[in-house]
Each structure stands twice: as structure tokens, then as C-alpha cells.
Amino acid sequence: MLNRRSFLKSTGSFSGLFLPVMSFPQFNMIAANDQPLLTKATLKNSYWYIGHLLSVLLKSADTNGLYSLLKVTEIKGLEPPPHTHTREHETFLLLDGEIEFSVKNETYHAIAGDTMFLPRNIQHSFKVITAKSEVLILLTPGGFEQFFIEMSEPAQEMKEAPLPSGPPDIARLIATAAKYGVKFPDNKGAM
């Protein structure tokens, strides 16, 4: 009996016509504990990150490293400077508000319902246009959520963090980001 793999091999799909002949690694698409996982933003998984409320909905450990998922309240005026992720892609799904993304020489204006994909190794930044914006951020592969945890304090309430009284500790931010493969244009040592 001819199954899908036999059919594709017999038609040349695996012999170089459509896909080069290669072995593909096994990807485990099931959570690390092999159980379904229902999550939501709670005090247990939420942090105050430089004026933002950030909830780690799925950690890298929950997905065998495939991805992590964050829910973030982005605040106008507290956006990151231009930076480059060298390890993960970022995908922003805007739930509420407006954000302007700058990628290379292009500007993308995103509104609620839009999705912005930012590939690794491409410098980008963004500016929140509305007072705040609610976003889901998918990090693939996972792991970068640890940067946010390391740079944050546990949320005291499920509301926006108090605004910072001054600028963040830039040296600590750059050093911590570098541990997770993030480069900043002015940080020549990390490039």
C-alpha cells in the first residue's frame, strides 16, 4: 500500500525535485512534561520590567525550547533602543494600541489585530504610538524570557509597574542582554 512518504519518494519530492534529500531532526512539539498546559497572566508568572507589566505565559522549558510566549503592556516612552537579537525571532501580536516598528530602512505601523515578525540578526526598534499597547510576544526558539525575568522584579499587583524614577542601569542592561545574544549599535564590545 502506498503511503504519503512512499508517494512523495516515488514522485521525486524527496529526491531533490522539491526538497533536497536530507534527514530532518525530530522535533517534539509536545510540552516538556507531555501534558497540555493552560496558562494565563497571574502574579505567579508576572514581572515589573522597567515600567512594564510582563507575564511569561509559556517558558522555553514548557515547550522543549521551541518557543516562549509573553504578554506585555508596552508603555509609550519606555521602548528599547535599536537592538539585534542573534538567537531568536520575535513575533508581536498587537492586542490593543498602536506601535511603529523600525526595521532596516522601513517603518511599519501596526494596530490592534496586526502581527509583526522580526527575524533574528536584523536590527530593529519600536515606538508605542498610543499611551500603551498590549502585545503577545512569541520568541522562537525560547529562552529570551530569562532576560526579562533577570532584569525585572516580581509584580506586586496585576497592573502596570510604577514608572522608573530615572534611567535604567544601562551597563547592567547591556551586560545582561549580551548574555542572551542581544547586540546594541553603540555597544561595540558585543558586536
Side-chain angles (χ1 to χ4, degrees):
M1 182 154 123
L2 192 63
N3 63 29
R4 179 176 164 79
R5 182 173 294 275
S6 299
F7 172 76
L8 290 173
K9 281 184 179 180
S10 70
T11 61
S13 296
F14 278 161
S15 62
L17 222 109
F18 300 114
L19 295 173
V21 175
M22 62 177 70
S23 76
F24 293 96
Q26 291 283 8
F27 289 104
N28 184 354
M29 301 298 278
I30 300 174
N33 61 7
D34 292 333
Q35 298 296 316
L37 181 60
L38 177 65
T39 68
K40 66 179 176 180
T42 66
L43 275 178
K44 187 176 177 180
N45 64 3
S46 296
Y47 302 87
W48 282 348
Y49 170 73
I50 312 175
H52 302 79
L53 175 62
L54 178 141
S55 301
V56 180
L57 300 177
L58 291 169
K59 299 178 300 237
S60 178
D62 297 326
T63 65
N64 285 335
L66 292 174
Y67 62 91
S68 51
L69 182 64
L70 313 175
K71 182 178 182 193
V72 184
T73 302
E74 298 285 358
I75 306 296
K76 184 176 187 172
L78 298 178
E79 303 91 342
H83 61 283
T84 303
H85 292 260
T86 62
R87 298 179 185 166
E88 60 278 321
H89 306 293
E90 286 183 294
T91 303
F92 285 72
L93 171 61
L94 276 73
L95 303 173
D96 188 42
E98 296 180 46
I99 296 179
E100 186 176 276
F101 293 90
S102 297
V103 185
K104 293 186 176 183
N105 295 325
E106 299 287 327
T107 301
Y108 302 87
H109 185 90
I111 61 172
D114 287 346
T115 300
M116 182 73 206
F117 174 67
L118 299 167
R120 77 179 117 216
N121 294 319
I122 294 180
Q123 183 176 295
H124 62 274
S125 63
F126 62 88
K127 180 171 45 171
V128 179
I129 304 301
T130 48
K132 63 183 179 179
S133 182
E134 298 288 333
V135 298
L136 288 177
I137 303 174
L138 179 68
L139 302 163
T140 51
F144 191 67
E145 74 278 7
Q146 293 302 320
F147 162 81
F148 292 109
I149 292 169
E150 193 170 329
M151 290 298 298
S152 301
E153 64 179 86
Q156 302 300 307
E157 301 176 69
M158 290 303 294
K159 66 176 194 173
E160 295 156 30
L163 292 176
S165 58
D169 181 341
I170 299 299
R172 178 176 174 237
L173 192 138
I174 289 172
T176 305
K179 281 180 21 183
Y180 296 97
V182 174
K183 299 177 184 179
F184 296 95
D186 296 330
N187 185 13
K188 303 297 184 212
M191 296 180 107

